[in-house]
Amino acid sequence: MYDFEDSHNKLIAGIVTPKIQVAWSRHRAWHKETVRILVRTDFVKDGTKVKLEIKIKDGKTLDTLDKGTITGNANNQDYKIEWKDKKLDPVTAEVVVTASIKDPAVTADSESLFVDTVPPLVSG
């Protein structure tokens, strides 16, 4: 038999680690379309500012969004793809978004969003 009698009022040491995740609402988009950027966190206070950096997968920054805040461990922002003045691959750009917060300092990268920068060819 096991003896289950003991003081259960013990302090258990542990570390709570804040986390952040970021994702695009879809995997592929056309130039001039609006996509949603989804940020999810764990153990981050409401009102914490989140910075989003949209960049080509090779590292060139296309845009920065820094007006959003975390509410209920989430932040969703719509983003219109307007890169006419940016020098991109003429067919498809592979784009990621990096989400970061300062306090606590955590950062995450999304999976790629493939953006077709030229209109599709249609047959007649």
Side-chain angles (χ1 to χ4, degrees):
M1 265 302 159
Y2 295 104
D3 186 11
F4 291 107
E5 291 183 34
D6 195 4
S7 172
H8 297 287
N9 239 358
K10 294 182 180 177
L11 179 64
I12 300 173
I15 298 172
V16 176
T17 307
K19 293 183 181 174
I20 189 169
Q21 297 176 329
V22 62
W24 297 100
S25 60
R26 25 199 259 207
H27 300 286
R28 187 167 211 103
W30 292 100
H31 188 256
K32 297 201 178 226
E33 279 190 311
T34 300
V35 294
R36 183 166 276 197
I37 301 170
L38 311 166
V39 178
R40 299 296 180 263
T41 61
D42 286 329
F43 307 113
V44 175
K45 293 180 185 177
D46 284 354
T48 301
K49 292 188 181 220
V50 62
K51 178 181 177 184
L52 302 173
E53 275 188 278
I54 299 161
K55 52 191 170 186
I56 302 288
K57 188 144 187 189
D58 67 9
K60 177 185 176 186
T61 299
L62 296 171
D63 211 349
T64 302
L65 308 171
D66 58 0
K67 303 229 186 276
T69 59
I70 301 296
T71 303
N73 284 318
N75 176 271
N76 297 333
Q77 294 188 44
D78 288 334
Y79 178 75
K80 185 160 186 177
I81 300 169
E82 290 278 1
W83 300 330
K84 183 179 178 185
D85 299 334
K86 315 279 186 196
K87 293 186 182 349
L88 300 176
D89 181 344
V91 180
T92 303
E94 190 173 351
V95 181
V96 296
V97 60
T98 300
S100 60
I101 55 178
K102 288 185 179 179
D103 187 27
V106 288
T107 302
D109 290 327
S110 71
E111 295 289 324
S112 295
L113 170 70
F114 295 93
V115 179
D116 295 304
T117 56
V118 295
L121 298 174
V122 291
S123 60

